[in-house]
Amino acid sequence: MKKFFGLLVAALFVSSSAFAGTVTDVYLGIADFTNSGTADFHFNLKNVSGDAAVSDSTIRWTSADAFNTTSADKWVRADQYAEVVANVTKAGFNVYMYQTNGQSTDYKAVTPRTNADGSKPVSGLVNKAKQGGDFQGYAPLAFSFVPTKNASITFDGNEGTPSDSRANRFFSDQGDKKADGSSSFNKNYTLIASLCGPVFGPFDKDGNLAPWCSKDVSNKTAYMYFFGNFHDIVGGDIYGTDQIKIKQVTE
């Protein structure tokens, strides 16, 4: 019994010495993935009818519903939609969609419109002749993100509560102003793709500011449908925007 105890102590002593010596030779390990990851993003514009690709990158409203001469709001779906693919494994990669109507050439927004809350936006389709203003100056724009194609989709002008099956969001312009006169342009609001895929909203389900993506989206592909709010239209007027920007950045 004594012999066994002596061997045990010796074993512990050797093990302790070996461990102590090893610790002094340990260094930090580094796995550097700075240049790793991919950012595969595609914004493919297609016709709702026939599903053919759009060659001139133009979103149009040719429906007779858009010629609304009454003062009642009428949200009309555009003839085109976008197939948005965001297969991203690179941290910090984000895609933003926004307008710069104040810098436009053909559809320059000079006079903002006044919303009910006192804000002064210049986003949307601009009346080419009037260059903005409260009456007949703009056709506000919105888009809906959905996980599956839906040619019969409609919009009533209310964002509602976003869900995995649909998120409605309004366009924003870098020149939009809050009621207090400060800028209301928010990159988080216009974020449309990130590491999690197509972004349905800038807030997660707990209300925290964080990109939120739908669990119903397959193959990192969502579908964006565009809506314009037309009213008080006069024959001969032209509404448009040539400054819808899709910007890909690594931040």
Side-chain angles (χ1 to χ4, degrees):
M1 182 66 182
K2 290 182 179 180
K3 184 178 180 180
F4 178 77
F5 183 78
L7 288 174
L8 179 60
V9 171
L12 286 174
F13 178 78
V14 172
S15 177
S16 178
S17 297
F19 179 72
T22 302
V23 168
T24 61
D25 296 328
V26 169
Y27 295 89
L28 292 176
I30 297 175
D32 189 348
F33 301 111
T34 301
N35 298 315
S36 300
T38 59
D40 185 25
F41 176 80
H42 301 277
F43 192 90
N44 303 316
L45 204 60
K46 297 183 177 182
N47 291 316
V48 174
S49 178
D51 216 37
V54 178
S55 59
D56 62 357
S57 301
T58 302
I59 302 169
R60 292 183 172 87
W61 282 261
T62 60
S63 169
D65 292 336
F67 186 62
N68 175 25
T69 60
T70 75
S71 60
D73 288 347
K74 195 168 189 179
W75 288 90
V76 182
R77 191 209 67 217
D79 299 339
Q80 287 72 37
Y81 75 97
E83 180 184 69
V84 182
V85 182
N87 191 6
V88 181
T89 61
K90 188 174 183 63
F93 179 82
N94 295 304
V95 182
Y96 301 98
M97 183 174 74
Y98 58 95
Q99 294 180 275
T100 55
N101 281 339
Q103 302 172 22
S104 174
T105 301
D106 292 328
Y107 303 99
K108 188 176 182 65
V110 176
T111 306
R113 65 182 183 276
T114 304
N115 280 344
D117 62 359
S119 59
K120 302 281 188 179
V122 295
S123 54
L125 299 177
V126 183
N127 187 313
K128 186 175 184 179
K130 292 181 177 292
Q131 295 188 314
D134 286 333
F135 182 66
Q136 297 177 330
Y138 295 90
L141 289 179
F143 66 90
S144 291
F145 245 149
V146 291
T148 56
K149 293 181 184 178
N150 183 2
S152 61
I153 191 171
T154 60
F155 179 57
D156 63 3
N158 296 309
E159 281 186 301
T161 302
S163 66
D164 288 314
S165 61
R166 180 169 180 173
N168 303 313
R169 300 165 67 187
F170 289 96
F171 275 67
S172 61
D173 189 283
Q174 286 183 319
D176 288 353
K177 300 295 181 182
K178 295 180 181 178
D180 62 6
S182 61
S183 175
S184 64
F185 178 78
N186 187 326
K187 291 198 302 181
N188 291 298
Y189 185 79
T190 59
L191 181 67
I192 62 170
S194 71
L195 186 63
C196 68
V199 173
F200 274 45
F203 298 95
D204 62 22
K205 292 183 178 180
D206 295 323
N208 301 310
L209 187 60
W212 173 54
C213 298
S214 168
K215 66 178 179 58
D216 293 341
V217 167
S218 299
N219 300 319
K220 300 291 185 177
T221 302
Y223 304 90
M224 181 183 291
Y225 290 88
F226 308 98
F227 297 91
N229 182 14
F230 298 94
H231 57 81
D232 297 307
I233 302 299
V234 175
D237 280 346
I238 301 175
Y239 289 75
T241 175
D242 54 13
Q243 295 291 323
I244 296 177
K245 294 183 176 292
I246 307 293
K247 186 175 182 179
Q248 304 177 46
V249 295
T250 300
E251 299 173 302

